[in-house]
Amino acid sequence: LANNATFSANTAQTFGGAISNAGTLTVGNDSTFDGNKAQIGGAISNNGTSGEAVATIGDNVTFSNNTSENQGGAIHNQKADLTIGDDAKFIKNSTLNEGHSGGALYIDTDGSKASNVTLGDRTLFEGNSTKHSGGALYAYSADSYGGNEQVTVTLGSDSQFKNNSANRGGAVASFASNTSIGANAIFTGNTAESDGGAIYSSGYGSTAATLNLGDNATFMHNQAKGNGGAVFNGKDSTLTIKSATFADNWAGDKLNDIHNDGDLEVNGDL
C-alpha cells in the first residue's frame, strides 16, 4: 500500500475492520487507521492460521479510535510475523467484550506457530483500553509446547505507555511470552482493576515468561487495585531491569512499585 493511505470507519463482521491479511502485507509510511471496527482486529488482522502471514507497517503510522468486539482493538496478530516502524501511535483503541484482551495490539501463537512482533523507536500507546488483559499490548503463548512456539515482542527505545487501562496489566500483559522493551521507556498513568498497574507478566502452563526492560525506564503514577502498582511479576516469569525510576505508583491504598512472585534481576539502579 502507498504512503499516506487513510482507512477510516470501515467495518468487518469477523477479521480486520480495514485489512485482513493471510499472506504478505506492506503498509506505507504516514498512513492512518481511524475508527475501524471488527469482531477481531479492529483495523488489521494478520493471521497465519492457514499459511505464512507477514505484515510490514512503515514509519509514523497512526491507529486511533479502532475497536474490536474481542481481540486487538487496533491489530490482531496470530501465528504471524509483524514489523512496525518508528514513531507508531496507538491512541484510544479498545476491545469491548468481557474476557478478551489487547486494547491496541493482540499477539498469540494459538498453540502451534510462533509469532514475532517488532516495533521501532518512539512508539506511543495512549488511552487504549480492554476489559481483560493488556490495555495497550497483550502477548500470549497459548499452550506453547515447552517454549518452542512462543510469542516474541521487541520494542525499540523511547516508547511511551500513557493512561492505558485493563483488568490485568494496564499497559502490557505478557503470558509465557518473551518481551523486551528498549531504553528510556515511560509508563505513566496506567491503571489495572486487579494486578499490574503498568505491566503484568506470568508464565502459562509449563512455559515461562521473560520480560526485559532496557536502561532508564520510568514508572510514574500507575495504579492497581490489587498487587503491583507498577509491575506484577508472576509465577514462572523472569523480570530483568537494567535501571529504572519508580514514583507515586499505588497498589490499593498503599504506595507500591513491584510485586514479585517470580525471578527479579536488577542490573542497575532503582
Side-chain angles (χ1 to χ4, degrees), residues 140-216:
Y140 176 44
S141 299
D143 191 17
S144 54
Y145 303 106
N148 293 324
E149 307 295 344
Q150 285 183 277
V151 169
T152 299
V153 182
T154 305
L155 282 85
S157 65
D158 302 289
S159 57
Q160 294 186 60
F161 295 82
K162 301 168 65 177
N163 302 323
N164 303 286
S165 62
N167 182 51
R168 289 184 297 187
V172 175
S174 176
F175 292 86
S177 300
N178 301 313
T179 303
S180 295
I181 299 173
N184 306 315
I186 296 173
F187 294 82
T188 182
N190 303 289
T191 58
E193 287 296 311
S194 59
D195 300 326
I199 294 176
Y200 184 104
S201 181
S202 179
Y204 180 81
S206 62
T207 305
T210 63
L211 179 63
N212 299 310
L213 292 173
D215 291 327
N216 196 35

Side-chain angles (χ1 to χ4, degrees), residues 96-117:
L96 303 180
N97 287 342
E98 299 284 349
H100 293 281
S101 299
L105 179 55
Y106 175 98
I107 310 154
D108 85 359
T109 63
D110 201 27
S112 62
K113 188 186 296 183
S115 289
N116 300 294
V117 174

Side-chain angles (χ1 to χ4, degrees), residues 208-232:
T210 63
L211 179 63
N212 299 310
L213 292 173
D215 291 327
N216 196 35
T218 300
F219 294 84
M220 297 181 66
H221 314 308
N222 303 288
Q223 185 169 10
K225 291 185 178 179
N227 297 310
V231 179
F232 182 99

